[in-house]
Amino acid sequence: MTLTAQRPRAQQKSAAPPPARRRRRPSLVPYVFVGPAAAFFVVIILVPLIYAIYLSFRGQRISGGGAFGRKQDVFVGFENYLTTFTDPELLASLGRMLVYSVIMVPILMGSALLLALLLDSPRSALKGTTRTAIFMPYAIPGVVGSLMWGFLYLPSTSPMHWIAKQIGVELPNVLGQGLVYGAMANIAVWGGVGFNMIIMYTSLRSIPAENFDAARIDGCTELQIAWHIKIPFLMPALVLTGMFSVIGALQVYSEPITLASMTTTIHSTFFPLMAIYKAAFQNDNLNLAAAMSVVLALGILVLSIIVLRISQRKTLGEGR
Amino acid sequence: MKTKKWLTAVAGTAAVAIALTGCSSDDGGSTGPADDMVKSGEPITLEMWAWASNIEKRVDAWNAANPDVQVRLTKPGGNEDVPTKIITATRAGEGPDIAQAEYGQLPSMVISDVAREITDVYEPYAEKYAPAINDLVTFDGAVYGVPQDIGPTGMMYRNDIFDEYGFDVPTTWEEFAEVAEDIREAGDGDMYIANFAGGDADLFVGLTMQAGANWWTVDGDEWKVDIDSQASRDVLAFWQDMVDRDLVSAVPGGTPEWNSMMNDGKILTNVSGVWAAGVMASIVPDTIGKWKGARTPEWTPGVQTVGYRGGSVNFVTTSSKHPEEAAEVILWLNASDEGAEGLAEISKFPAALHGQDSLSTPPALMPEDEDYWPLATEIAKDTFPIQWGPNPNVAFAAFTDEVGKALTNGTSVVDALPLVQKAVVDDLKASGFNVAE
């Protein structure tokens, strides 16, 4: 289907320069090549997606009446979607997710870019060690990282709070209302900055050196080189990592679910994914969870396409 | 190129949906007993899902004595998600033969057609239990589970600190509030009588029931939900007042913060199921031997009513291929005298009366307190029959969320009750139950 649609265009491109070079009967080869990807797409993505959509139109309903009637799987139409769209708590959780994204993504991208540029600057020392050190948190599972940070946040277990108390300063509880977004964003940035930094740094290393030589001859400072040469070159990498970061922020789950057991600030439907988990695995309503998932997936899809379209037009131009 | 990018986006987002809709029924990945189709006389293996600590010792004892009916135990992790796991797996035909559920979770197992009726085989064993306990596993006159342990609430207190400062052990909630004031004024002023763990829905349901609340009742074909009742409001108002006057701490229970406060002697009592004396030892190792047990404070002096916190049953699933053998196993494990004694040995507070009488070794938290188990047995006599509804999971989650929000926002926790009531009623109606207004 969609996959095969790209084939003719790709062929046209490669076949364009030598006109009508060989016009053979259609070969099976392209289909064989695209086969693994198509099979993967169908089995791993399409089938479960269709099953999820199927589930979202069904529900467990009591039949036979009575206080102890038995639940049966029935078709319920758009009931689950209606519940999804009329649940004020789900809407509120979407709002919280956006607040979190607006805080987390710029900090993550900004610090990754800054670190990459600093590491790339000719005067920095201990590059290898620093790079590894910044990348290391990425290798730590999110739950473990969140637990560790949770212990650092909790006033009674945190060494920071202990030290502050010794010198007579009362630190605020970062797991309280307001600061909790920062507390979660901090964990995500700590875990993700190394990964994004490596992508940007690798991309920086591939910029041909003559650009810098030319700029220096023209009298550019390192700062100007970074601004006028490195960042424009980095744009594809920035779009890629930015995209990952946005999707990551919209899927925020492991940090809040881990911290939730440590504070009353994060309740069980704080973010959309938590609400979906609760519906499916605590309230035994897989069907509602499926409807919520479909809605959320569509939302992220639309958002991703918008982000991609805008950034493609701005940075990659039509020629690439 | 554009198509490809678009596809990447689709792939990425679709992956979310898959991750979310993935079925959890393949836990353990083991083949069920359904596969070993039995020829008569050949040994069978029963699959059992249970989270109770040390239960493997009892299963081993069964296996050693019954080579023909072997039980394979799987511990399905924390018990919050387990009910859904069992329901989903059984619907998919991949469930265990035997499962464990809390009393509150059993009605949903019946309604989801997961628990199998065992009325006939249970009947000879009914006399092993107090009538109120039999009621907990009986729905519409049919029995669906074998009670394992029960959790009548009791109060543990720091005997050493109470002695040191001469605090009285409160017997009513009124006295509890008075002693709480004394405790705040004593020492360095950093001690609390108790912690208000608002998130502990399980405990507060028990405490409101102690005050006379009936969250769910059956009225003919209808469910009546009375969560936002005067009794519930009184209990929460009492605790709200304690929080407002800084007479209790208010940190989430079971957190590192709570653990360290308990261990450091900053929280002096803990109201919980009597079984907690066994579990607490590992949480507060520095205070072993410094605790004593007492009755939960009463609302009306002289009127002793005891709510439940925790306790669970074993049941046979509807997907079991060997229901008779499975029922035999859980009756032996929990109801037989031998089984009940065994439960006492692994520090459970057995539901079977014989088991309660055989509790001899004091719990790990108070290894010298010979009076603890006899007191617990006395307390258990004052429990009363309660009715659990089809959706305590919804009620508990809503309670934890709404009380947590109230604590965070500084509003009254009493306001949580109508919201919990609404969540429970809405869920019942959405499932197709008749709900009395």
Side-chain angles (χ1 to χ4, degrees):
Chain A
M1 31 154 291
T2 354
L3 265 177
T4 45
Q6 77 189 61
R7 187 184 55 91
R9 195 189 294 178
Q11 226 178 31
Q12 273 168 17
K13 255 189 193 169
S14 57
R21 198 172 38 169
R22 45 202 155 155
R23 195 169 274 276
R24 294 191 309 195
R25 60 202 166 81
S27 150
L28 267 179
V29 174
Y31 294 100
V32 172
F33 282 172
V34 86
F40 182 85
F41 178 76
V42 169
V43 174
I44 310 287
I45 293 167
L46 207 59
V47 171
L49 198 62
I50 290 170
Y51 185 56
I53 293 169
Y54 165 79
L55 279 181
S56 71
F57 287 104
R58 304 192 67 85
Q60 300 282 332
R61 297 290 181 268
I62 294 296
S63 69
F68 290 98
R70 298 292 187 269
K71 280 188 176 175
Q72 272 177 352
D73 191 51
V74 292
F75 177 78
V76 297
F78 283 93
E79 217 173 289
N80 291 320
Y81 287 95
L82 200 70
T83 314
T84 303
F85 284 113
T86 52
D87 181 5
E89 181 49 32
L90 189 70
L91 216 65
S93 77
L94 282 169
R96 285 187 284 265
M97 177 180 82
L98 287 182
V99 171
Y100 169 79
S101 311
V102 166
I103 295 173
M104 195 278 270
V105 175
I107 297 179
L108 178 63
M109 295 298 293
S111 40
L113 177 61
L114 185 69
L115 287 171
L117 287 173
L118 284 176
L119 272 182
D120 190 52
S121 103
R123 275 193 259 170
S124 62
L126 288 173
K127 282 184 194 180
T129 325
T130 322
R131 214 166 54 218
T132 314
I134 300 171
F135 186 72
M136 209 118 67
Y138 182 69
I140 295 173
V143 173
V144 177
S146 305
L147 267 181
M148 197 186 76
W149 276 103
F151 279 91
L152 290 175
Y153 290 155
L154 277 178
S156 63
T157 55
S158 164
M160 303 299 153
H161 280 262
W162 186 83
I163 292 168
K165 213 172 178 183
Q166 301 309 305
I167 55 170
V169 181
E170 192 72 35
L171 288 180
N173 179 9
V174 288
L175 290 179
Q177 221 175 5
L179 287 177
V180 74
Y181 291 102
M184 282 185 283
N186 176 47
I187 301 174
V189 170
W190 172 82
V193 74
F195 172 78
N196 290 301
M197 185 267 301
I198 290 286
I199 292 185
M200 294 180 197
Y201 180 74
T202 318
S203 182
L204 277 175
R205 302 307 290 169
S206 66
I207 301 173
E210 54 265 31
N211 291 297
F212 305 137
D213 294 339
R216 286 199 188 94
I217 290 167
D218 286 345
C220 266
T221 63
E222 285 302 321
L223 212 60
Q224 284 168 322
I225 290 178
W227 183 251
H228 291 294
I229 297 175
K230 289 182 178 177
I231 292 183
F233 260 109
L234 264 187
M235 269 309 163
L238 285 177
V239 170
L240 182 76
T241 51
M243 185 81 182
F244 285 161
S245 304
V246 170
I247 292 179
L250 299 184
Q251 296 179 4
V252 57
Y253 181 73
S254 66
E255 293 93 2
I257 205 81
T258 312
L259 291 180
S261 61
M262 303 184 182
T263 171
T264 54
T265 316
I266 305 170
H267 49 83
S268 68
T269 53
F270 198 80
F271 286 131
L273 284 199
M274 296 169 74
I276 292 172
Y277 180 87
K278 182 185 160 190
F281 298 107
Q282 281 189 305
N283 291 355
D284 186 31
N285 197 341
L286 209 57
N287 307 100
L288 177 61
M292 290 159 83
S293 304
V294 169
V295 171
L296 186 69
L298 281 178
I300 295 181
L301 176 67
V302 170
L303 214 66
S304 307
I305 292 173
I306 294 173
V307 170
L308 256 184
R309 276 285 160 82
I310 294 172
S311 46
Q312 265 177 334
R313 212 160 281 163
K314 282 217 169 130
T315 63
L316 307 180
E318 294 301 318
R320 282 179 81 130
Chain B
M1 276 323 255
K2 245 180 203 165
T3 325
K4 207 181 240 166
K5 283 254 164 55
W6 194 84
L7 272 175
T8 320
V10 175
T13 47
V16 192
I18 292 145
L20 291 168
T21 50
C23 184
S24 73
S25 63
D26 56 354
D27 260 72
S30 51
T31 53
D35 301 336
D36 355 278
M37 285 313 288
V38 228
K39 293 178 212 103
S40 62
E42 249 179 55
I44 58 167
T45 303
L46 300 174
E47 205 71 28
M48 175 176 184
W49 288 4
W51 68 83
S53 54
N54 290 322
I55 198 71
E56 60 274 10
K57 292 181 186 162
R58 301 304 304 148
V59 171
D60 288 348
W62 166 273
N63 284 341
N66 297 277
D68 289 343
V69 181
Q70 292 289 295
V71 176
R72 185 160 50 201
L73 177 71
T74 307
K75 292 202 163 187
N79 61 4
E80 215 174 43
D81 307 342
V82 174
T84 312
K85 238 182 230 179
I86 294 170
I87 292 174
T88 315
T90 306
R91 272 185 203 140
E94 291 173 5
D97 299 272
I98 300 168
Q100 180 182 5
E102 292 188 7
Y103 291 102
Q105 296 158 356
L106 193 56
S108 66
M109 295 295 165
V110 173
I111 284 155
S112 304
D113 211 9
V114 167
R116 185 187 285 264
E117 188 187 337
I118 53 166
T119 314
D120 293 342
V121 284
Y122 183 80
E123 219 254 304
Y125 289 91
E127 57 172 34
K128 303 280 182 188
Y129 297 97
I133 303 300
N134 282 327
D135 285 350
L136 284 171
V137 293
T138 310
F139 307 100
D140 269 353
V143 178
Y144 289 92
V146 181
Q148 181 166 78
D149 61 341
I150 53 173
T153 57
M155 182 177 77
M156 288 173 283
Y157 65 97
R158 280 292 293 272
N159 190 35
D160 57 329
I161 299 178
F162 268 66
D163 266 359
E164 187 185 340
Y165 292 96
F167 302 136
D168 294 325
V169 180
T171 59
T172 65
W173 287 110
E174 204 183 327
E175 282 175 26
F176 188 83
E178 284 162 20
V179 176
E181 287 178 36
D182 298 343
I183 288 174
R184 291 298 291 138
E185 282 155 20
D188 295 335
D190 58 356
M191 293 189 293
Y192 290 95
I193 191 168
N195 178 55
F196 176 68
D200 194 344
D202 213 0
L203 173 64
F204 278 91
V205 175
L207 289 181
T208 60
M209 286 176 174
Q210 185 204 14
N214 285 309
W215 284 40
W216 293 269
T217 37
V218 180
D219 184 9
D221 278 356
E222 291 187 326
W223 283 96
K224 193 166 179 293
V225 180
D226 200 9
I227 293 166
D228 186 21
S229 65
Q230 192 59 45
S232 307
R233 282 196 290 267
D234 288 346
V235 171
L236 282 186
F238 173 83
W239 285 94
Q240 179 66 51
D241 177 55
M242 298 284 278
V243 172
D244 290 345
R245 289 155 66 201
D246 192 33
L247 295 180
V248 291
S249 59
V251 301
T255 57
E257 194 167 24
W258 181 80
N259 292 355
S260 75
M261 286 178 83
M262 289 293 284
N263 213 16
D264 296 346
K266 304 285 183 252
I267 300 172
L268 304 189
T269 72
N270 186 29
V271 174
S272 189
V274 293
W275 46 262
V279 186
M280 288 266 296
S282 60
I283 300 170
V284 289
D286 300 349
T287 64
I288 287 175
K290 295 174 177 171
W291 295 82
K292 261 185 93 117
R295 284 182 161 274
T296 310
E298 298 295 341
W299 289 105
T300 317
V303 179
Q304 284 164 338
T305 50
V306 175
Y308 297 92
R309 195 219 180 289
S312 55
V313 298
N314 285 148
F315 63 89
V316 180
T317 63
T318 47
S319 63
S320 173
K321 293 277 188 292
H322 309 287
E324 280 139 48
E325 288 87 348
E328 204 182 316
V329 171
I330 60 177
L331 285 166
W332 174 83
L333 184 66
N334 303 303
S336 74
D337 290 352
E338 190 189 350
E341 284 166 30
L343 290 176
E345 273 163 36
I346 58 167
S347 294
K348 297 275 165 279
F349 187 72
L353 297 167
H354 177 75
Q356 294 174 19
D357 292 336
S358 68
L359 280 161
S360 51
T361 322
L365 186 63
M366 39 205 93
E368 325 255 279
D369 189 357
E370 299 286 346
D371 301 332
Y372 188 85
W373 288 127
L375 173 73
T377 308
E378 276 305 302
I379 292 175
K381 294 199 172 104
D382 293 324
T383 49
F384 47 91
I386 54 164
Q387 175 71 60
W388 288 103
N391 57 353
N393 47 350
V394 173
F396 285 15
F399 186 92
T400 306
D401 277 355
E402 298 305 338
V403 168
K405 280 183 209 164
L407 286 174
T408 307
N409 300 334
T411 54
S412 171
V413 293
V414 182
D415 299 341
L417 289 168
L419 300 170
V420 179
Q421 166 101 18
K422 186 177 180 308
V424 170
V425 170
D426 286 353
D427 179 71
L428 284 178
K429 283 183 180 164
S431 300
F433 287 105
N434 298 321
V435 184
E437 295 296 332

